[in-house]
Amino acid sequence: MKLIVDLKDKSYPIIIQRNSLTHITDTINVDRKVMLIADSGVPDKWIDIVYNQCPDAYIIRFNQGEQSKNIDTYAYLLQACIDKGMTRKDAIIAIGGGVTGDLSGFVAACYMRGIDFYNIPTTTLAQVDSSVGGKVAIDMGDYKNIVGAFWQPKAVVIDNNVLSTLPLRHQHNGLVEALKMGLILEESLIEEFEKDELNIDQIVYRSIDLKRQIVEQDEKENNLRKILNFGHTIGHAIEGAYGLNTYLHGECVAMGMLFFIEDKHLKMRIQKIYERLELPSIPAYDTDTLLNFIMHDKKGAASSVSIIKVKKAGSYEIVDMSYEDIRNVLERGPYEE
Amino acid sequence: MKLIVDLKDKSYPIIIQRNSLTHITDTINVDRKVMLIADSGVPDKWIDIVYNQCPDAYIIRFNQGEQSKNIDTYAYLLQACIDKGMTRKDAIIAIGGGVTGDLSGFVAACYMRGIDFYNIPTTTLAQVDSSVGGKVAIDMGDYKNIVGAFWQPKAVVIDNNVLSTLPLRHQHNGLVEALKMGLILEESLIEEFEKDELNIDQIVYRSIDLKRQIVEQDEKENNLRKILNFGHTIGHAIEGAYGLNTYLHGECVAMGMLFFIEDKHLKMRIQKIYERLELPSIPAYDTDTLLNFIMHDKKGAASSVSIIKVKKAGSYEIVDMSYEDIRNVLERGPYEE
C-alpha cells in the first residue's frame, strides 16, 4: 500500500507494506553517503537490514527515551555528519520511534541548511503520528518540541514486520492516536477497533491516510491541524504530572480524550475499546496539579485554551475554554455519573 | 529608498533610508513581545532607539565576534525566548553585524518551528551581504555556517546613520562585497567607487538591488547564487590561515578576487579602488597552507572546485578547477608580471 502526501514540490510517498524494509532502494536513493540514526532500543536486526542495502552508510545511535531529545544529542548527531564528511547531497535515515524521527529530522533540516531525510518508524505511535507531517523538533528543559522546524521527509517506509519486536503495550499505545483520528474524522475507523481481529496494518494505513489529508490542507499548523490535538491538553498534563515512566504518550491521550467525548453512548463504546487495548484507567489525579501543567504548557500566554470536543463519532468541535472551565471539567471527572 | 525582495509568500521589504531607525514601526509590527538581539559591540544608542519604540521588548546581548556564532550562544538565545514566554506570534529583531543576523535568524527559524524575524544590520558588510537572502546559520568547530536554515526576514531596515559609530576600516570592509557585485554583474557599480565622493548609501542600495535579483532567481542556492562566491575560495583560505584578527572578511575576499580577474586593465582599475579603500595588500602566503584550507572547506568531497572568474567588468564565468589548477594559480600569484 502506498500513499502520496501532496505538498507540491515537497510531496512524498508513504509505503505501508510488509517486507518493504528488505527493498528500501525502491524508495530511497542510497547511492550516496547515508547516515542511519537509531536509538539504543531499536533491535540491531532492523538496522542491519537497511545498512546492508546501502553501499556507503554509517550507523549512529543514542540513548533511547525522551530525555535524549535535547540540544546535546542534536549537536552530537550534527558533529557525526561533519565527521563523516556528509554533503548537501547526502541523506539521513531515521530508524526508530518518535524521538528518533523528531531528532533526526531536525538534524536533517539544519545540516548544511537542509539535506534529504527519510523516516522508517518502528513503533505504531511514530507510524500513525509523528512520521507524517514534517514536524521535527527537540525539547528544551520542560518544554517539549519548543525548538524545531517543518521539514518534510522524502519518503516514509513502514514495514510492520518490525512490530514483532515491539511489546504489545507499545503497539496499543500508538493505536490510540489512530483511534483519535477515527473519533474526530471517520466513524468507520472506530469500527476497525471493534472487529473480531485487530488488523493493525489496516488501522495504520487508514489513520495515516486521514492525517495526510489534514497535513495537505494545513502544512504549517496554522489552523485545521490543531484538531489533531484532541485529547492532548489534559493528556499532556497527565504526562507531565506522572511522567512517561508511568504512562506512555498514547495512554495519556486516551485519558485526555475521555474528558471531551460528550456523548454517553460513544464514550461507552470507546471505553470498551480501551479495555480491549488494555489501556490503564485514569488515576485519582489532583486537579490543581494538572491545571498547573496545562497553564505551563501554554506558557501563560493566553487566558483561554482551544479545546477539541467530540459529540458525534467522526466529527469535532473547537471551543475556547477558560482555565476555570477546564478546572470544572477536571473536577467533574471523565466518567458519566 | 525601498526594495522588495519578491519571494512570493515570503516576500519582504528592504528599507534603505537615513533615520529609518527612528520610526521602525512603519515597517515592523511591534505590538507583541519583541526580543532584541545584539552583540556586545553595538553601541547602546542604536539599541535604545529601537527599544524605546517597542512596548513589550527585551534586550539580550552576547559577546561580539565569530567565535560566538556557535551552538552554545544559539541555545542561550533560545532559552531567553523561553524564559520571556515568547509565543509563535512574537518576533525577534537582530541589531548588529553578520554574526548577529545569522545567529538571531537561526534562532527565529527554529524557535517554536519559526517566528517572525527582522534584521537591522549595522555594518556595511551585513547590509550588502548577509542581511539579504535568508541564509542563517551557526558554525561548528572549524566549519563555518555548517548548521542553519533558509529563513527569510519579514523586513530589513538599513539606516546608515549607524555608520557614524563604525570604524572606517569596517565600513570599507563591507564595501568590498558591493564591489564584487559590480565586478560580476554591473560595471556602473564599479564606477561608483571611482567617483570623487564615495556615496555609501548609493553603493549599498545598488549592491543590495543586484543581490535581490539573484536571490529571487535562486532562493535556496541551487545554482545561480553560487556566483556570489566570487573571490571567496581563496579569500576563505586566507581568512583561515591568518585569522579574522589579522584581516577582515571583506579584505580577504578582495584578495581572493584579484586572483580571478583575468583582464590586466580591469585588475589595475580594481587595485586602484583597493588603494582608495586602504585595503591591506596580499601577504607572502604559503601555497600549501592555503590549498589545505581550500580542501578542508570542501571537506574533500569533490576533486574539483567551482570557481568564478571575471574577464570583463560586469560579467562572470564559472569554471571547474582541479586542486592542481588552483595550486598553479596560487603559485603564479595575484599580480601581473
Side-chain angles (χ1 to χ4, degrees), chain A residues 30 35 96 144 168-169 178 223 264 273:
Chain A
V30 298
M35 181 70 71
K144 289 185 72 169
L168 200 64
R169 183 182 170 198
N223 210 335
K264 199 174 172 173
I273 295 173

PDB file of all heavy atoms in Angstrom, chain A residues 30 35 96 144 168-169 178 223 264 273:
ATOM      1  N   VAL A  30      20.051   5.402  -2.238  1.00  0.00           N
ATOM      2  CA  VAL A  30      21.152   5.162  -1.303  1.00  0.00           C
ATOM      3  C   VAL A  30      22.520   5.232  -1.982  1.00  0.00           C
ATOM      4  O   VAL A  30      23.527   4.865  -1.379  1.00  0.00           O
ATOM      5  CB  VAL A  30      20.997   3.798  -0.577  1.00  0.00           C
ATOM      6  CG1 VAL A  30      19.716   3.769   0.244  1.00  0.00           C
ATOM      7  CG2 VAL A  30      21.028   2.648  -1.566  1.00  0.00           C
ATOM      8  N   MET A  35      23.507   8.474   6.548  1.00  0.00           N
ATOM      9  CA  MET A  35      23.673   8.383   7.999  1.00  0.00           C
ATOM     10  C   MET A  35      22.420   7.729   8.565  1.00  0.00           C
ATOM     11  O   MET A  35      21.322   8.281   8.463  1.00  0.00           O
ATOM     12  CB  MET A  35      23.845   9.795   8.560  1.00  0.00           C
ATOM     13  CG  MET A  35      24.052   9.875  10.058  1.00  0.00           C
ATOM     14  SD  MET A  35      25.651   9.243  10.612  1.00  0.00           S
ATOM     15  CE  MET A  35      26.751  10.520  10.009  1.00  0.00           C
ATOM     16  N   GLY A  96      13.436   4.176  14.066  1.00  0.00           N
ATOM     17  CA  GLY A  96      13.070   4.142  15.474  1.00  0.00           C
ATOM     18  C   GLY A  96      11.715   4.753  15.717  1.00  0.00           C
ATOM     19  O   GLY A  96      10.901   4.878  14.797  1.00  0.00           O
ATOM     20  N   LYS A 144       8.425  20.756  25.595  1.00  0.00           N
ATOM     21  CA  LYS A 144       8.514  19.751  24.543  1.00  0.00           C
ATOM     22  C   LYS A 144       8.423  20.408  23.169  1.00  0.00           C
ATOM     23  O   LYS A 144       7.599  21.298  22.951  1.00  0.00           O
ATOM     24  CB  LYS A 144       7.379  18.728  24.713  1.00  0.00           C
ATOM     25  CG  LYS A 144       7.602  17.817  25.933  1.00  0.00           C
ATOM     26  CD  LYS A 144       6.543  16.736  26.025  1.00  0.00           C
ATOM     27  CE  LYS A 144       6.743  15.694  24.931  1.00  0.00           C
ATOM     28  NZ  LYS A 144       5.889  14.501  25.159  1.00  0.00           N
ATOM     29  N   LEU A 168       3.573  -5.504  23.255  1.00  0.00           N
ATOM     30  CA  LEU A 168       2.162  -5.264  22.948  1.00  0.00           C
ATOM     31  C   LEU A 168       1.673  -3.931  23.517  1.00  0.00           C
ATOM     32  O   LEU A 168       0.914  -3.195  22.878  1.00  0.00           O
ATOM     33  CB  LEU A 168       1.314  -6.416  23.508  1.00  0.00           C
ATOM     34  CG  LEU A 168      -0.074  -6.575  22.869  1.00  0.00           C
ATOM     35  CD1 LEU A 168       0.037  -6.935  21.393  1.00  0.00           C
ATOM     36  CD2 LEU A 168      -0.881  -7.645  23.617  1.00  0.00           C
ATOM     37  N   ARG A 169       2.134  -3.605  24.721  1.00  0.00           N
ATOM     38  CA  ARG A 169       1.699  -2.343  25.343  1.00  0.00           C
ATOM     39  C   ARG A 169       2.071  -1.151  24.445  1.00  0.00           C
ATOM     40  O   ARG A 169       1.301  -0.207  24.295  1.00  0.00           O
ATOM     41  CB  ARG A 169       2.358  -2.193  26.716  1.00  0.00           C
ATOM     42  CG  ARG A 169       1.886  -0.950  27.450  1.00  0.00           C
ATOM     43  CD  ARG A 169       2.572  -0.773  28.801  1.00  0.00           C
ATOM     44  NE  ARG A 169       2.259   0.558  29.340  1.00  0.00           N
ATOM     45  CZ  ARG A 169       2.962   1.143  30.298  1.00  0.00           C
ATOM     46  NH1 ARG A 169       4.007   0.525  30.851  1.00  0.00           N
ATOM     47  NH2 ARG A 169       2.624   2.362  30.724  1.00  0.00           N
ATOM     48  N   ALA A 178      -4.461   6.530  16.390  1.00  0.00           N
ATOM     49  CA  ALA A 178      -5.290   6.138  15.246  1.00  0.00           C
ATOM     50  C   ALA A 178      -6.772   6.216  15.611  1.00  0.00           C
ATOM     51  O   ALA A 178      -7.586   6.725  14.840  1.00  0.00           O
ATOM     52  CB  ALA A 178      -4.919   4.730  14.794  1.00  0.00           C
ATOM     53  N   ASN A 223      -4.026  26.236  11.416  1.00  0.00           N
ATOM     54  CA  ASN A 223      -5.434  26.181  11.739  1.00  0.00           C
ATOM     55  C   ASN A 223      -5.929  24.745  11.941  1.00  0.00           C
ATOM     56  O   ASN A 223      -5.855  24.202  13.028  1.00  0.00           O
ATOM     57  CB  ASN A 223      -6.200  26.864  10.593  1.00  0.00           C
ATOM     58  CG  ASN A 223      -7.455  27.507  11.077  1.00  0.00           C
ATOM     59  OD1 ASN A 223      -7.990  27.092  12.099  1.00  0.00           O
ATOM     60  ND2 ASN A 223      -7.929  28.491  10.356  1.00  0.00           N
ATOM     61  N   LYS A 264     -22.776   9.998  25.761  1.00  0.00           N
ATOM     62  CA  LYS A 264     -22.689   8.897  26.718  1.00  0.00           C
ATOM     63  C   LYS A 264     -22.452   7.555  26.017  1.00  0.00           C
ATOM     64  O   LYS A 264     -21.578   6.774  26.401  1.00  0.00           O
ATOM     65  CB  LYS A 264     -24.003   8.859  27.507  1.00  0.00           C
ATOM     66  CG  LYS A 264     -23.909   8.101  28.797  1.00  0.00           C
ATOM     67  CD  LYS A 264     -25.211   8.256  29.581  1.00  0.00           C
ATOM     68  CE  LYS A 264     -25.199   7.331  30.788  1.00  0.00           C
ATOM     69  NZ  LYS A 264     -26.359   7.559  31.656  1.00  0.00           N
ATOM     70  N   ILE A 273     -13.249  -0.205  23.841  1.00  0.00           N
ATOM     71  CA  ILE A 273     -12.023  -0.346  23.028  1.00  0.00           C
ATOM     72  C   ILE A 273     -10.786  -0.192  23.916  1.00  0.00           C
ATOM     73  O   ILE A 273      -9.813  -0.936  23.799  1.00  0.00           O
ATOM     74  CB  ILE A 273     -12.018   0.680  21.866  1.00  0.00           C
ATOM     75  CG1 ILE A 273     -13.165   0.364  20.894  1.00  0.00           C
ATOM     76  CG2 ILE A 273     -10.670   0.679  21.139  1.00  0.00           C
ATOM     77  CD1 ILE A 273     -13.379   1.391  19.794  1.00  0.00           C
TER      78      ILE A 273
END
